[in-house]
Amino acid sequence: MAQGPGGSGQHGETLLFLTDEQLRKGIEAMFFAYKGFTSDPDRILEERGYGRAHHRAIHFIHRSHGTTVNNLLAILGVTKQSLNRVLRTLIEDGLVESRVGTRDKRERHLFLTERGLVLERELSDAQQARVRDAFRAAGPGAVAGFRTVLEAMMDPDMRRRYQRLTENGR
Amino acid sequence: MAQGPGGSGQHGETLLFLTDEQLRKGIEAMFFAYKGFTSDPDRILEERGYGRAHHRAIHFIHRSHGTTVNNLLAILGVTKQSLNRVLRTLIEDGLVESRVGTRDKRERHLFLTERGLVLERELSDAQQARVRDAFRAAGPGAVAGFRTVLEAMMDPDMRRRYQRLTENGR
DNA sequence: GTTTTATGTCAGCCTTGTTGACATTGCTAG
DNA sequence: CTAGCAATGTCAACAAGGCTGACATAAAAC
């Protein structure tokens, strides 16, 4: 039976969504969408002399108040030298505070200061506005599919971290 | 009526998928997924002394045989100096051919050589394998949603370019 | 014939990733 | 208690790949 373009059965029948052309579309969509995804925060960051790396650090420190440097390294997947360069400027500029651990005094626990929270909100608002518009335009079903595919695209380690983050909530 | 978490109505009712928490999940999913998305090609490129920028150029030259430099610049969204650095090495290494335009002799039309096509396939295979697995695991409905959301997330200019690309097919 | 367009190139700067080496502090196991 | 490992910070050097600004050439367009 003929199947309309984009149509598809339940499981493993024609799998029209797995043709080379469909895969290429998916790949290009990721490329163009990621560009848009980062563009608004990037503009704000540039005004303040920060880069995308600062945004990532700020985001995950906000997300997990009091996280340790090691944990942040694992989430971001960069070297400690690379993270440290960014972290140092954020601490010097008074956006991030680093407190010595109470149980283990080797650890440093990271927190956003008042000023850090202000920038976080500004970046977050910009990025969330775009994502919210996209989600609203696409609808709940599409959003569910979006997250399912993205999750399946992660490396297993990162998927675990991601899921751990989202389970615990804030 | 009570609605389960993640559940939602058709249109603009509770909009549980637009809460801050949901938006944050979407944002983090993009971050982690994009990391996975680029990791396989990155490994291959590194072996050959190329970077992600080379991959992007190769991809879009393959996608649009004979495209001009200006067109490629617009798609990639970088400066000509940045693109030129990459393009020059690809031409020197014999992966890309640059032919003077016939109608307009100022233009250069770009093509992949035999060797360029070989690398393109290798990169493409690696990236497509991951996307294919993710698509297969998620199912056709999720894939449709995935693309809908990504498309809504692009800047309008880029969305137009993206749609033009996918309409014309290869 | 002047101006605009498409392209290439040089030089220099920035962010952000990398490796390697080394120091400090504090926890932990023997 | 001491040796070793862990968590962190730091210095130096390098690379990729963005950016700006300036300048050159050839061809098209007006």
Side-chain angles (χ1 to χ4, degrees):
Chain A
M1 76 184 248
Q3 224 161 4
S8 157
Q10 310 287 43
H11 280 112
E13 300 155 22
T14 52
L15 297 176
L16 266 190
F17 70 115
L18 290 179
T19 61
D20 266 31
E21 178 58 21
Q22 291 297 317
L23 294 174
R24 186 159 36 212
K25 282 187 195 177
I27 287 170
E28 286 169 359
M30 277 295 279
F31 171 68
F32 289 119
Y34 199 77
K35 203 176 258 294
F37 173 71
T38 56
S39 61
D40 303 314
D42 280 355
R43 264 189 293 277
I44 297 170
L45 290 158
E46 199 190 1
E47 292 169 8
R48 286 162 181 67
Y50 296 127
R52 210 174 283 178
H54 298 85
H55 184 193
R56 290 199 279 258
I58 287 173
H59 174 98
F60 285 109
I61 291 172
H62 177 247
R63 173 63 143 164
S64 319
H65 312 277
T67 187
T68 65
V69 173
N70 250 355
N71 186 40
L72 201 53
L73 283 174
I75 287 175
L76 297 174
V78 298
T79 58
K80 65 172 179 175
Q81 293 91 332
S82 195
L83 174 59
N84 193 262
R85 186 161 37 197
V86 161
L87 220 41
R88 194 172 4 175
T89 72
L90 290 175
I91 292 171
E92 280 169 3
D93 295 354
L95 302 187
V96 168
E97 198 192 333
S98 163
R99 299 185 204 150
V100 173
T102 49
R103 277 183 33 191
D104 188 332
K105 290 180 188 164
R106 290 171 304 180
E107 292 178 341
R108 298 301 138 95
H109 297 274
L110 303 171
F111 302 85
L112 292 187
T113 63
E114 283 295 323
R115 296 186 48 216
L117 285 168
V118 170
L119 179 54
E120 195 284 331
R121 265 268 45 91
E122 198 171 351
L123 293 168
S124 204
D125 281 348
Q127 195 158 45
Q128 285 190 14
R130 180 181 291 256
V131 175
R132 179 165 21 240
D133 289 351
F135 277 14
R136 201 186 327 258
V143 170
F146 165 77
R147 293 230 287 139
T148 303
V149 172
L150 289 189
E151 212 164 311
M153 209 177 275
M154 300 174 193
D155 274 331
D157 284 21
M158 285 297 141
R159 178 159 52 239
R160 260 174 259 127
R161 285 181 191 288
Y162 167 76
Q163 286 168 343
R164 219 175 304 146
L165 272 177
T166 63
E167 275 162 21
N168 304 343
R170 340 188 11 93
Chain B
M1 76 182 252
Q3 226 162 1
S8 155
Q10 312 286 43
H11 281 110
E13 299 154 23
T14 51
L15 297 178
L16 266 190
F17 70 114
L18 290 178
T19 61
D20 266 31
E21 177 59 20
Q22 291 298 317
L23 295 174
R24 187 159 36 214
K25 283 187 195 178
I27 287 170
E28 287 169 357
M30 277 295 278
F31 171 68
F32 290 118
Y34 199 77
K35 204 178 257 297
F37 173 71
T38 55
S39 61
D40 303 315
D42 280 355
R43 263 189 293 279
I44 296 170
L45 290 156
E46 199 190 3
E47 293 169 8
R48 287 164 183 64
Y50 295 127
R52 210 173 283 179
H54 298 83
H55 184 192
R56 292 198 278 258
I58 288 173
H59 174 97
F60 285 108
I61 291 172
H62 177 246
R63 172 63 140 166
S64 320
H65 312 277
T67 187
T68 65
V69 172
N70 250 354
N71 186 40
L72 201 54
L73 282 174
I75 288 175
L76 296 174
V78 298
T79 59
K80 65 173 178 174
Q81 295 91 332
S82 196
L83 175 59
N84 194 265
R85 184 163 36 197
V86 161
L87 220 42
R88 193 172 3 175
T89 72
L90 290 176
I91 292 171
E92 281 170 2
D93 295 355
L95 302 187
V96 169
E97 199 191 330
S98 164
R99 299 185 204 149
V100 173
T102 49
R103 277 183 34 191
D104 188 333
K105 289 180 189 165
R106 290 170 305 178
E107 292 178 341
R108 300 299 139 96
H109 298 274
L110 302 170
F111 302 86
L112 292 187
T113 63
E114 283 295 322
R115 294 187 49 214
L117 285 167
V118 170
L119 179 55
E120 195 284 331
R121 266 269 46 91
E122 198 172 351
L123 294 167
S124 204
D125 282 349
Q127 195 158 44
Q128 285 191 12
R130 180 180 293 253
V131 175
R132 179 164 22 238
D133 290 351
F135 277 13
R136 204 191 318 265
V143 170
F146 163 77
R147 292 230 288 140
T148 302
V149 172
L150 289 188
E151 213 164 312
M153 209 177 275
M154 299 175 194
D155 275 332
D157 284 20
M158 284 298 142
R159 178 160 52 240
R160 259 174 260 127
R161 285 181 191 288
Y162 167 75
Q163 287 167 343
R164 217 174 307 144
L165 271 178
T166 62
E167 275 162 21
N168 304 344
R170 357 181 8 92

